[in-house]
Amino acid sequence: MNIPLVDLKVQYHSIKHEIDQVVQDVIDNTAFINGMYVKEFEEAFACAIGVKHCIGVGNGTDALFLALKALEIGSGDEVITAANSFIATPEAITMTGAKVVFVDINPDTYNIDIAGTEAKITSRTKAIIPIHLYGQPADMAQILKMAEKHNIFVIEDAAQAHLAAYNGQIAGGIGNIGCFSFYPGKNLGAYGDAGAVVTNNDELAIKIRMLANHGRVGKYNHEFEGVNSRMDGIQGAVLSVKLRYLSSWTEKRRKAAAFYNELLKEKSNIVTPKEEEYAKHVYHLYVIRIKERDKLQKHLKEKGISTGVHYPIALPNLSAYKYLGHKPSDFPIASQYQDEILSLPMYPEIGADQIRYIADCIGSFCHV
């Protein structure tokens, strides 16, 4: 049996007629950049998140950068974020001229450590970017309490957390600004690059929209210099179709995760994901831990099972951040887990027989 880490083809074929039709509609109406299809998606996504404003942008990295710029964060400022994620988050901080400050991760959730975060706050700290990693929200009540105490902003990196919830509130709509990626492999994925910024702040929404569109209020009327980061019409149309299925796809992911948990619970070598009581985890990734990660990954590959590592090098340990002078021991949890985490196949259409086969193959490796 061959099982991919994610299967975008099976999802496309399940909604092929609708997708093909809206792509043709965009072409027929030559609505290629922003336009009515993007506006339709922005309104629908804002409603899904429970916020007033959604601004479609070029990608998730741009969403983070635009959020930071709208809050006037730049040179001399510091922004705190978690040590285990994709480079896009700290990269966006550095793009503004601000300094990235890393914090180790919670050993159970892999999200940003709360006590460690407060310890890193200085007079130069302007924002915290909690990352809702793998689809589980960070502890937002504690983060918001901390932010209010120190008068700093909270920008949610919800790139992996479409429709995830914290105590019933949808991720991305909890802090000052929420940022999303619609990279094709995400729970809500476009057919190319796309992203969005969401907020309840009217002034920030206007500023972000202008920043993303060359700082303009009219075609050639520019109030300030911005950037070119606009969602294209085809992505807006595709995302509008897929958004209608996102809730049901999310429940299928959660059922698949529960089945994994049931089948893997007796395997003492394996640490399965822990879902906090406050969280609705949407399982963008289903990540286990095992000491012999590389050997297990090789074993599963030989059995036809594709896996991934998200992420094999903790952010502070990357060569890109060598200039910060960190040692792996500065982030002991993230540095340990980078050698233990393994992402198993996860997508809405994965079948019980496939999950059972994966669990059996893991069992044969663990001799359980």
Side-chain angles (χ1 to χ4, degrees), residues 89-211:
T89 314
E91 189 176 47
I93 296 168
T94 306
M95 285 164 61
T96 69
K99 178 184 177 182
V100 59
V101 176
F102 291 114
V103 174
D104 207 359
I105 57 173
N106 179 294
D108 293 326
T109 67
Y110 314 157
N111 283 321
I112 195 165
D113 178 70
I114 301 300
T117 300
E118 186 143 31
K120 295 288 182 78
I121 295 174
T122 72
S123 60
R124 295 180 296 278
T125 305
K126 294 296 187 293
I128 303 169
I129 304 182
I131 302 162
H132 304 315
L133 196 69
Y134 305 148
Q136 174 157 235
D139 191 345
M140 290 302 296
Q142 296 301 317
I143 291 168
L144 291 173
K145 182 180 178 181
M146 191 189 316
E148 184 177 4
K149 175 182 174 181
H150 295 279
N151 193 30
I152 54 182
F153 298 109
V154 176
I155 302 170
E156 296 176 74
D157 185 336
Q160 300 184 2
H162 309 82
L163 295 192
Y166 178 88
N167 286 331
Q169 192 170 0
I170 302 297
I174 304 170
N176 298 100
I177 301 176
C179 298
F180 289 86
S181 167
F182 304 119
Y183 183 78
K186 294 292 195 289
N187 291 25
L188 180 61
Y191 287 172
D193 264 328
V197 184
V198 301
T199 184
N200 283 309
N201 186 297
D202 298 343
E203 292 182 4
L204 283 176
I206 292 169
K207 191 172 184 180
I208 292 164
R209 192 174 293 280
M210 291 174 66
L211 277 166

Side-chain angles (χ1 to χ4, degrees), residues 63-319:
L64 290 162
F65 171 73
L66 291 163
L68 290 159
K69 289 294 287 184
L71 295 171
E72 300 182 357
I73 292 170
S75 180
D77 298 331
E78 295 178 353
V79 179
I80 295 172
T81 196
N84 179 36
S85 186
F86 185 58
I87 195 172
T89 314
E91 189 176 47
I93 296 168
T94 306
M95 285 164 61
T96 69
K99 178 184 177 182
V100 59
V101 176
F102 291 114
V103 174
D104 207 359
I105 57 173
N106 179 294
D108 293 326
T109 67
Y110 314 157
N111 283 321
I112 195 165
D113 178 70
I114 301 300
T117 300
E118 186 143 31
K120 295 288 182 78
I121 295 174
T122 72
S123 60
R124 295 180 296 278
T125 305
K126 294 296 187 293
I128 303 169
I129 304 182
I131 302 162
H132 304 315
L133 196 69
Y134 305 148
Q136 174 157 235
D139 191 345
M140 290 302 296
Q142 296 301 317
I143 291 168
L144 291 173
K145 182 180 178 181
M146 191 189 316
E148 184 177 4
K149 175 182 174 181
H150 295 279
N151 193 30
I152 54 182
F153 298 109
V154 176
I155 302 170
E156 296 176 74
D157 185 336
Q160 300 184 2
H162 309 82
L163 295 192
Y166 178 88
N167 286 331
Q169 192 170 0
I170 302 297
I174 304 170
N176 298 100
I177 301 176
C179 298
F180 289 86
S181 167
F182 304 119
Y183 183 78
K186 294 292 195 289
N187 291 25
L188 180 61
Y191 287 172
D193 264 328
V197 184
V198 301
T199 184
N200 283 309
N201 186 297
D202 298 343
E203 292 182 4
L204 283 176
I206 292 169
K207 191 172 184 180
I208 292 164
R209 192 174 293 280
M210 291 174 66
L211 277 166
N213 194 20
H214 299 288
R216 63 184 171 190
V217 290
K219 187 167 186 179
Y220 296 113
N221 184 5
H222 306 264
E223 289 195 4
F224 50 80
E225 288 185 336
V227 297
N228 179 8
S229 183
R230 301 168 297 191
M231 183 180 287
D232 74 63
I234 287 177
Q235 305 314 329
V238 166
L239 289 167
S240 288
V241 171
K242 296 180 80 173
L243 181 58
R244 296 196 289 268
Y245 293 91
L246 182 59
S247 181
S248 63
W249 287 342
T250 298
E251 292 311 310
K252 289 177 181 178
R253 285 178 179 272
R254 287 177 54 78
K255 288 179 181 178
F259 194 39
Y260 267 127
N261 289 343
E262 179 185 339
L263 296 177
L264 297 175
K265 66 183 178 182
E266 301 300 331
K267 296 170 177 42
S268 58
N269 313 55
I270 302 293
V271 179
T272 55
K274 178 183 178 182
E275 183 169 341
E276 294 290 339
E277 289 185 8
Y278 57 67
K280 178 182 178 181
H281 198 322
V282 297
Y283 295 97
H284 169 58
L285 297 168
Y286 182 88
V287 179
I288 62 170
R289 291 198 347 262
I290 181 171
K291 295 292 184 183
E292 296 183 304
R293 190 270 310 284
D294 294 344
K295 290 182 180 179
L296 174 59
Q297 188 171 34
K298 182 176 182 291
H299 173 77
L300 294 177
K301 183 178 180 180
E302 290 171 352
K303 300 294 185 180
I305 300 165
S306 296
T307 58
V309 179
H310 301 87
Y311 298 89
I313 306 175
L315 290 168
N317 300 337
L318 288 169
S319 296

Side-chain angles (χ1 to χ4, degrees), residues 35-48:
M36 60 182 176
Y37 296 100
V38 172
K39 183 180 180 184
E40 177 186 340
F41 171 70
E42 289 175 335
E43 291 174 351
F45 194 66
C47 182

